[in-house]
């Protein structure tokens, strides 16, 4: 797929993320003026701020942005508002090609709020006046650990033994780059990795390479994006474009970058003799992660610490092992979602809110207060 035009201005929405940053580099290597657009650069697709300016003179817009929350209502609002604003401003600027990154299987999993939002995004693009290309990709190799973390209960990782065909993020960026440089498809193209696995098999292999001691169990009812999967939910059709990177090769390169003394994900590098039962080291909870402190789960939300009871109010799933997206945690057992700062239930099957706790920080030592607070707050005595 080629395009005779060179030195096009191509705006990449979400250009500072995993795929976006790679895409900007690849487009630049092909001689195009690739512009990374994100809130950090003054471009906000939710409010429209900076869109008119960044789209001036643009031939192509590539949207690889993602919602800060995967909760049903916020994720739908994000893709509807963001995509609607983009298309409106693109039409005014005369943009000739809109490219969007979507998900293989999104149309087959209507029980997933996230994937329903992606289908809504696709529909808006198809119904607009702007020529378009939609690239549906399978999951990325880079998310193997986070998938395992979200499916972990104690030392066990439960995943459905369905077909799985993930790909390297670098191959995703290469495929999107080719589409962006080409003529609009006015349709959908699927991309995937060169090999198929069983979901549980691939995660087991990935954890083993990291010397992670967790045990992976095949569970046909384990959820993914909040929904149960069928045999072919996550694999593309026969016409999919396949990446070049094999999982074994990617895994070998990635494993070689892990420090030899790195602790596995389930190990707590805290000296119990140095801390009280309700204390923890703040350095052990980087932004976007969680730590179990006694019976309390502590979450780091963009540098702010929130704490809730450690188990889901539905069936006692371990929330510290759930997927954390912004302030939303998804229970790895049955997919319930909560706001970890307020305890509010965002998605069932849970009905009761979480207890929340106050966190006090003194240097690198954090302390969870014993009494539950109405709203979790963070008080820091250091900058």
């Amino acid at each position: 797929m080629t395009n005779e035009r060179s030195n096009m201005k191509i705006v990449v929405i979400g250009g500072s993320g995993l795929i976006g940053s790679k895409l900007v580099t690849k487009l630049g290597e092909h001689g195009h003026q690739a512009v990374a657009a994100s809130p950090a650069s003054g471009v906000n697709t939710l409010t429209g701020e900076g869109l008119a300016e960044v789209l001036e003179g643009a031939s192509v817009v590539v949207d690889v942005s993602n919602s800060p929350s995967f909760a049903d209502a916020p994720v739908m609002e994000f893709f509807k508002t963001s995509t609607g604003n983009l298309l409106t401003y693109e039409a005014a600027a005369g943009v000739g090609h809109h490219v969007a990154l979507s998900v293989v299987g999104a149309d087959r999993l209507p029980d997933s709020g996230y994937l329903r939002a992606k289908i809504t995004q696709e529909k808006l693009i198809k119904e607009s006046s702007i020529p378009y290309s939609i690239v549906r990709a399978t999951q990325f190799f880079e998310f193997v650990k986070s998938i395992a973390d979200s499916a972990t209960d104690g030392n066990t990782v439960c995943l459905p033994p369905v077909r799985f065909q993930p790909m390297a993020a670098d191959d995703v960026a290469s495929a999107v780059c080719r589409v962006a440089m080409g003529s609009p498809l006015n349709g959908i193209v699927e991309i995937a990795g060169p090999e198929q696995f069983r979901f549980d098999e691939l995660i087991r292999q990935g954890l083993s390479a990291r010397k992670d001691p967790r045990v992976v169990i095949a569970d046909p009812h384990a959820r993914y994006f909040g929904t149960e999967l069928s045999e072919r939910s996550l694999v593309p059709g026969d016409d999919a474009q396949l990446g070049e990177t094999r999982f074994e090769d990617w895994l070998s390169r990635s494993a070689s970058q892990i420090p030899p003394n790195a602790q596995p994900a389930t190990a707590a590098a805290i000296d119990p003799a140095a801390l009280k039962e309700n204390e923890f080291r703040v350095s052990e909870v980087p932004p976007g992660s969680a730590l179990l402190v006694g019976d309390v789960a502590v979450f780091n939300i963009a540098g702010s610490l929130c704490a809730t009871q450690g188990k889901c109010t539905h069936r006692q799933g371990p929330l510290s092992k759930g997927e954390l997206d912004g302030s939303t945690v998804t229970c790895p057992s049955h997919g319930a979602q909560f706001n970890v700062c307020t305890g509010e239930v965002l998605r069932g099957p849970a009905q009761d809110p979480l207890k929340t706790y106050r966190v006090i920080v003194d240097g690198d030592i954090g302390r969870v207060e014993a009494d539950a607070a109405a709203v979790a707050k963070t008080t820091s005595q250091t900058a």
Side-chain angles (χ1 to χ4, degrees), residues 21-377:
S21 58
K22 293 177 180 292
L23 179 58
V24 168
T25 299
K26 291 178 184 294
L27 289 169
E29 291 172 349
H30 283 276
H32 298 291
Q33 180 190 354
V35 180
S38 69
S41 66
V43 178
N44 191 322
T45 56
L46 289 176
T47 64
E49 178 186 2
L51 279 177
E53 292 79 7
V54 78
L55 294 181
E56 185 176 354
S59 300
V60 183
V61 169
V62 185
D63 185 7
V64 294
S65 63
N66 209 350
S67 171
S69 171
F70 283 10
D72 287 6
V75 74
M76 180 64 78
E77 181 61 27
F78 173 85
F79 283 116
K80 285 176 64 176
T81 302
S82 176
T83 304
N85 284 337
L86 266 178
L87 295 171
T88 297
Y89 279 90
E90 286 173 32
V95 172
H97 189 186
H98 180 98
V99 181
L101 182 61
S102 191
V103 183
V104 164
D107 54 341
R108 298 192 290 266
L109 297 169
D111 290 340
S112 166
Y114 179 83
L115 297 181
R116 285 198 304 272
K118 293 300 290 184
I119 291 300
T120 297
Q121 178 190 33
E122 292 185 8
K123 185 173 184 290
L124 289 170
I125 294 168
K126 293 173 185 176
E127 293 176 349
S128 78
S129 62
I130 301 171
Y132 70 91
S133 301
I134 295 172
V135 183
R136 287 184 178 173
T138 55
Q139 188 58 276
F140 310 155
F141 293 158
E142 284 75 5
F143 294 159
V144 164
K145 181 181 178 298
S146 61
I147 290 172
D149 291 347
S150 69
T152 296
D153 183 356
N155 196 48
T156 302
V157 182
C158 294
L159 292 164
V162 298
R163 294 188 186 185
F164 196 48
Q165 196 170 341
M167 63 191 302
D170 198 58
D171 287 348
V172 176
S174 294
V176 175
C177 180
R178 289 194 297 271
V179 171
M181 295 187 301
S183 301
L185 302 173
N186 290 317
I188 296 171
V189 61
E190 292 187 322
I191 59 175
E195 311 161 281
Q196 282 193 11
F197 302 84
R198 291 293 172 182
F199 202 169
D200 58 314
E201 168 195 339
L202 179 130
I203 301 300
R204 186 179 297 112
Q205 189 176 338
L207 294 183
S208 176
R210 298 177 62 90
K211 296 180 172 54
D212 192 308
R214 285 177 286 180
V215 178
V216 179
I217 302 297
D219 178 0
H221 301 295
R223 290 175 173 264
Y224 174 79
F225 274 117
T227 188
E228 288 193 11
L229 304 175
S230 62
E231 175 70 0
R232 296 190 58 84
S233 293
L234 302 181
V235 294
D238 294 336
D239 296 331
Q241 298 178 11
L242 303 184
E244 299 179 353
T245 307
R246 296 171 62 87
F247 183 59
E248 184 177 1
D249 297 332
W250 177 88
L251 202 56
S252 178
R253 292 197 299 269
S254 300
S256 67
Q257 298 172 6
I258 300 174
N261 60 344
Q263 296 288 334
T266 55
I270 299 177
D271 178 8
L275 297 174
K276 297 178 181 178
E277 185 177 349
N278 65 329
E279 292 181 338
F280 62 96
R281 297 196 189 283
V282 176
S283 57
E284 293 296 324
V285 199
S289 71
L291 179 71
L292 188 64
V293 181
D295 294 329
V296 174
V298 176
F299 303 89
N300 188 327
I301 313 300
S304 296
L305 297 174
C306 298
T308 73
Q309 64 189 76
K311 294 183 178 180
C312 176
T313 56
H314 175 238
R315 293 270 181 95
Q316 305 299 296
L319 296 179
S320 62
K321 300 298 183 182
E323 180 178 353
L324 183 63
D325 186 73
S327 60
T328 300
V329 67
T330 301
C331 176
S333 297
H334 297 95
Q337 291 184 330
F338 302 89
N339 182 312
V340 299
C341 297
T342 67
E344 175 189 4
V345 178
L346 301 176
R347 184 178 72 189
Q351 296 182 348
D352 298 326
L354 299 172
K355 292 181 180 178
T356 58
Y357 300 85
R358 190 164 179 248
V359 179
I360 299 294
V361 175
D362 184 7
D364 191 42
I365 303 299
R367 184 176 75 254
V368 178
E369 288 196 343
D371 57 321
V375 178
K377 296 180 181 179

